[in-house]
Amino acid sequence: MASHWHYSLLLLAVFAVQASASAPLLQLHFYAQSCPRAETIVRQVVQHSAAQDHSVLPALIRLQFHDCFVRGCDGSVLIDSAGGNVAEKDAAPNLTLRMLDVIDDVKAALEQACPGVVSCADIIGLAARDAAAMAGRVRYQLPTGRRDGTVSSAAEVRLPSPSVSFADALSDFINIGLDVVDLTALLGSHTMGFCHCVFVMDRLYDLKRTGTPDQTMDAGLRASLQGSCPPHTVTPQNESSDAIVPMNLLAPHGPFRLDNSFYRSVLAGKAVLQIDQELASDGMPRLVAAKFAAGPRKFRKQFARSMVKLASVHVLTGDQGEVRLNCRKVNS
């Protein structure tokens, strides 16, 4: 009963924000009449892809973050560069995005079942939701009804870098309507997947241009990472081929399970990224991280709430935008 009440409050809060903008509301089961099997089709394609490659799961969760942080959750990260326009996906922070072909496969299946009905923006949100459920039993209902944006520009991409401070990342999150609890919860996805060496080079060799490594990093962790990430120069042009290391070296179930082990690594001083390790500093972030480390159910519930909140950032609804027929290009 309590969890249902809290979830209802969350949905009401999301709907209230949208209502204040005088736009039609997102709603649960938006496609119930126009495409009854839409959510089932998304789930089946994601399941099939994940069965072949487990790295699909963290990639789809990450994709929602990269889409929603620029122009809101409008699917603009999927648009290809064309005609002299450099699109979002070709901006440096997005060059390491993966599994965009899974979104293409979902869209193709939906277009066969219900042509011109389901937006690419909703596909991103639903695919991320299903990935979270498959990776860590994080289950939640996602209101749908998003429309697709028609503008995608690399010049507008301003994503918090994995090497920024927690305070700077929190400022960026607050700017899109999320808070310290949301940031702390969503960083929990860093228990999954891999990190390019470029994002830890400063901690390993030259923290803040001091010529020395980060002394707050666990010595054993630093030695392990230095073995995988020797000193080298990385540019945006070769970043996608840079060496990778697991995001959470202490994950008990490997790099594709979404659980609360990330927070135990953080509190033990063994986080890979600087932003993650700063969760162990004093104040609210540490308190929330400790709560999640001790309570896997609390982590799953908050991660679900924060994903719904993220998926509701600056959405297009009603007659705004369009429903793209091909997620990689705007309709002609």
Side-chain angles (χ1 to χ4, degrees):
M1 177 69 72
S3 62
H4 174 75
W5 183 75
H6 284 302
Y7 186 70
S8 297
L9 282 182
L10 172 69
L11 290 181
L12 286 173
V14 169
F15 293 168
V17 169
Q18 294 173 330
S20 67
S22 299
L25 304 179
L26 297 180
Q27 57 185 277
L28 295 176
H29 311 302
F30 177 83
Y31 299 107
Q33 299 300 319
S34 58
C35 190
R37 295 191 66 249
E39 296 193 23
T40 298
I41 290 171
V42 175
R43 183 170 59 253
Q44 288 175 341
V45 175
V46 172
Q47 283 178 332
H48 176 74
S49 299
Q52 297 176 317
D53 183 349
H54 294 324
S55 70
V56 164
L57 303 179
L60 292 177
I61 293 173
R62 182 184 177 214
L63 182 61
Q64 177 173 305
F65 167 75
H66 281 247
D67 183 45
C68 295
F69 240 89
V70 182
R71 288 188 163 264
C73 307
D74 67 348
S76 55
V77 74
L78 302 173
I79 296 175
D80 287 339
S81 297
N85 176 63
V86 181
E88 291 174 29
K89 67 167 58 172
D90 290 322
N94 290 333
L95 293 177
T96 56
L97 289 177
R98 302 174 60 251
M99 304 301 172
L100 301 183
D101 56 316
V102 176
I103 302 298
D104 292 335
D105 291 343
V106 174
K107 182 62 171 173
L110 287 168
E111 285 301 303
Q112 185 172 19
C114 313
V117 174
V118 182
S119 70
C120 301
D122 272 342
I123 291 172
I124 290 176
L126 291 169
R129 180 196 67 176
D130 293 338
M134 294 172 203
R137 295 182 295 118
V138 176
R139 297 184 175 90
Y140 54 93
Q141 291 185 295
L142 184 72
T144 45
R146 294 163 191 77
R147 301 270 288 181
D148 295 324
T150 58
V151 176
S152 182
S153 172
E156 295 184 344
V157 176
R158 298 287 187 275
L159 292 169
S161 164
S163 57
V164 302
S165 69
F166 184 88
D168 287 343
L170 179 58
S171 176
D172 289 334
F173 269 64
I174 289 172
N175 286 339
I176 64 167
L178 278 67
D179 59 27
V180 64
V181 175
D182 297 315
L183 174 55
T184 306
L186 293 174
L187 283 176
S189 63
H190 285 181
T191 199
M192 305 174 69
F194 296 85
C195 169
H196 286 267
C197 286
V198 63
F199 296 119
V200 294
M201 296 302 285
D202 58 340
R203 296 193 76 198
L204 296 179
Y205 300 104
D206 187 19
L207 182 67
K208 298 180 180 178
R209 300 186 178 181
T210 60
T212 60
D214 184 355
Q215 299 303 314
T216 66
M217 179 181 279
D218 176 83
L221 174 64
R222 183 168 65 244
S224 175
L225 291 174
Q226 286 176 333
S228 300
C229 301
H232 63 291
T233 300
V234 177
T235 67
Q237 287 70 38
N238 68 8
E239 181 178 312
S240 60
S241 59
D242 184 32
I244 58 175
V245 293
M247 292 284 281
N248 180 10
L249 276 73
L250 301 184
H253 303 292
F256 305 122
R257 176 76 66 88
L258 178 60
D259 59 27
N260 67 331
S261 65
F262 163 80
Y263 300 99
R264 294 195 292 271
S265 296
V266 166
L267 296 175
K270 296 184 178 182
V272 172
L273 298 178
Q274 179 68 33
I275 184 176
D276 296 341
Q277 193 53 60
E278 288 188 12
L279 285 175
S281 63
D282 56 6
M284 179 65 77
R286 184 179 179 88
L287 291 175
V288 176
K291 181 178 74 171
F292 291 159
R297 290 187 68 235
K298 290 180 180 178
F299 163 65
R300 289 195 298 269
K301 288 174 65 176
Q302 185 58 53
F303 189 86
R305 291 170 181 161
S306 296
M307 285 292 282
V308 172
K309 195 171 175 182
L310 175 63
S312 303
V313 171
H314 302 313
V315 297
L316 303 175
T317 58
D319 59 1
Q320 299 171 325
E322 64 183 15
V323 174
R324 264 181 253 139
L325 302 180
N326 179 336
C327 291
R328 292 179 176 267
K329 61 182 181 180
V330 299
N331 297 339
S332 55

